[in-house]
Amino acid sequence: MSGRAPIMKEDDALYANVGRLTRQLHDALRELGYDRDLESAVGSLPDARSRLSYISRLTGEAAEKVLNGVDETKLELAKLSTGAIEMAEALRSDPVSAVASGKLMGFLGEVGQSASRADAQLTDIMLAQDFHDLTGQVIRKVVTLAQSLETQLVQLLIASTPNDDADSAVASAQLIAPVAVSADTTAQCPSTDNLDGPVVSADGRSDVVTDQAQVDNLLESLGF
Amino acid sequence: MSNENMKFLIVDDFSTMRRIVRNILKEIGFGNAEEAEDGQAALSKLKGGNFNFVVSDINMPNMNGFELLKSIRADNELKGLPVLMVTAEARKEDIVSAAQWGASGYIVKPFTKATLEEKVQKILDKQAK
């Protein structure tokens, strides 16, 4: 017991020092205004999370639509292929009966309908590619958020680095910065900042429309 | 003028979306279309380009769709052109602004072939009156 007392005293002193340094750092950050920057950087993370979830959902839905469309189109083609083989066989064995019974005309009608359905599926598959545009716009926003977070963290790193290490901190920051700048594709268009892009979540929002019918109603109410 | 001869300009910064709109226009009988990647490129194509219809995105770099719309309406040569906005911008204030600045129609993405067909036809019918 008697041997542990000095160690506890040393621990207490260490903790007190760490506490004092933390307080000093906190005060310095507040004085420099970085606490607000950090707060806003942290505040932007849930937004980035919900945008990434939106991207994940949209890409998943697009993949499903394409795979479903391919499945259905393949079924149509398989039916056509089987029907063509049967029709050829019928024409070979008894061409008069194949025509007179209406089998040939029936098959030709089916070919036309089947081709229309396959065409509609292909249009759906094409439209499903709109996810590239919608997610691309959201990805740009996330890149901007990540860049802002990075800039604020770099500023914090420089501000909290002791003078002796400041040069290397600045050098590290300079190494990081060019990557961030090259990833930013929206910086040259400030007016685009005022635009929201796709609505990631319309829950609880009355300032946005969620489908084309609402757009039409709104425009109609304005006399357009 | 027949549908086949009508010349469309599709303006969108995403090539995938330009392609989708172009393909749908072709499917509904408007096979004559050119593309521009933003408002600025669109404006220089429109000048003297003999276009009959513009389908434009809003959120684009360099010159966005609102700025393009305003430039078209302010230009003596171009001001009568139908401009259909096809965009992901779903805020009511943006839709109202587009209408006030003279958009001929407004479609929110994602959209269907039927919607694009209906809006294009509605604008053309209105123009023919």
Side-chain angles (χ1 to χ4, degrees), chain A residues 16-65:
Chain A
N17 268 334
V18 170
R20 188 170 46 78
L21 285 169
T22 307
R23 166 57 54 191
Q24 280 174 353
L25 176 62
H26 182 255
D27 290 347
L29 289 176
R30 181 183 285 176
E31 252 173 62
L32 291 165
Y34 288 125
D35 60 335
R36 286 191 300 277
D37 288 348
L38 260 186
E39 204 178 303
S40 92
V42 170
S44 66
L45 289 178
D47 185 36
R49 264 207 314 271
S50 77
R51 286 179 192 279
L52 290 173
S53 300
Y54 170 82
I55 292 166
S56 167
R57 179 169 63 78
L58 232 64
T59 49
E61 285 173 0
E64 285 287 328
K65 262 192 232 169

Side-chain angles (χ1 to χ4, degrees), chain A residues 182-196:
Chain A
S182 65
D184 179 17
T185 53
T186 60
Q188 291 172 345
C189 183
S191 55
T192 305
D193 291 347
N194 298 326
L195 297 169
D196 257 9

Side-chain angles (χ1 to χ4, degrees), chain A residues 123 126-127 130 132-134 136 140 189 191-192 194 196-197 199 206-209 212 215-216 219 222 224, chain B residues 13-14 16-17 20 23-24 27 59-60 64 67 88-92 96 99 106-111 119:
Chain A
T123 300
M126 179 183 68
L127 275 165
D130 63 4
H132 178 232
D133 175 4
L134 299 172
R140 281 180 185 171
C189 183
S191 55
T192 305
N194 298 326
D196 257 9
V199 177
S206 60
D207 63 324
V208 295
V209 295
Q212 186 61 39
V215 178
D216 296 345
L219 289 174
L222 297 168
F224 289 95
Chain B
D13 51 338
F14 279 87
T16 331
M17 187 50 73
I20 290 173
N23 280 338
I24 295 180
E27 281 187 21
N59 198 337
M60 296 179 288
N64 69 37
E67 291 160 338
E89 301 305 320
R91 278 186 312 197
K92 290 174 183 171
V96 173
Y106 199 104
I107 293 178
V108 278
K109 296 173 184 171
F111 60 94
K119 300 302 171 202

Side-chain angles (χ1 to χ4, degrees), chain B residues 7 45-52 77:
Chain B
K7 194 173 173 189
K45 279 201 166 191
L46 284 171
K47 296 275 174 89
N50 294 318
F51 285 92
N52 307 106
E77 181 201 342

